[in-house]
Each structure stands twice: as C-alpha cells, then as structure tokens.
Amino acid sequence: MATLPDKQKLLRNFSRCANWEEKYLYVIELGAKLPPLSEELRQDRYRISGCQSQVWIAMENSDGRVTFQGDSDAAIVKGLLTIVFILYSGMTPQEIVALDVRPFFAELELSQHLTPSRSQGLEAMIRAIRTNAAEL
C-alpha cells in the first residue's frame, strides 16, 4: 500500500474536493490503487457478510502490526475499503480494536452521502476488521 496516502494526506485531499461528486470520484480513484487480491484470498472465510457487494478482507499480524489485503466487486465499495485500510494502517491489533473510524467518515463528509446499503456495508467491514483484530 505504498502508493496510498496516509491519514493526514487523505484528510487534506478530501478537504480539497469542492463537492460530493469530486469526493465520490476520489473514493473510486483510491479503490483503483488497492493492489489486486489473489484468488486464494477470495474464499468465503475472507468474505464479509452484510455487504450488498462482494467484499473480501484478509488480515495478518506482521511483527505486531496488522497488514491488510482486500477487494470488492463494486468500485465505490473498494474505495471505502481502501479508506478503512488507510485509517487502520500500521496499527497493532489492540489499537485497531480501540479505534472507532466512524468519526473519520463524518469528517470526510462521506457518511451523509452513502446510501443505506453502502452504510451498512461499511459498518460490516469495520466490524469485521475490529473482530478479526481482536482475534489476532
């Protein structure tokens, strides 16, 4: 995920978007930067239930820090997944469990623009990541 912005740059980039349409396009652009997910990780055990789109999230504890891999078949959902990965990037499992990223989505002014099904999917992704981090 070296080509992805850090949290602060993400916030700056969103603040530069003039309207929802620009933010929407930026979310899709972020999703396009997510590295491809291998077929071996596209298994049911990595699939997130509660999302209307297909979403896979694989997490690994690497030297005390959690690394993420994931994908979605919907461009906007893949972008939202990328944002979640950026927000949790470089954290320990305990830090992930403790951090509620929902306020970041409000700060990015994304929450109020997501459809109910996308909001439920985002919630399912966050819940799955925090649950998996607790198990790591």
Side-chain angles (χ1 to χ4, degrees), residues 18-72:
N19 54 42
W20 165 241
E21 197 171 303
E22 286 185 15
K23 288 181 183 192
Y24 188 83
L25 291 172
Y26 182 55
V27 170
I28 291 170
E29 180 184 319
L30 284 169
K33 292 181 179 184
L34 200 61
L37 188 66
S38 70
E39 283 304 315
E40 83 178 41
L41 295 178
R42 290 179 187 270
Q43 299 175 27
D44 282 343
R45 71 181 213 177
Y46 298 112
R47 192 161 181 260
I48 306 303
S49 61
C51 293
Q52 200 170 28
S53 306
Q54 290 192 57
V55 178
W56 299 269
I57 298 174
M59 299 167 53
E60 186 178 309
N61 189 341
S62 179
D63 296 324
R65 302 285 173 192
V66 177
T67 58
F68 299 93
Q69 294 181 65
D71 198 5
S72 174

Side-chain angles (χ1 to χ4, degrees), residues 79-89 101 105 122 126 129:
L80 294 171
L81 180 62
T82 305
I83 293 170
V84 172
F85 286 177
I86 290 169
L87 297 175
Y88 284 129
S89 178
V101 296
F105 283 90
L122 176 61
I126 293 168
I129 287 172

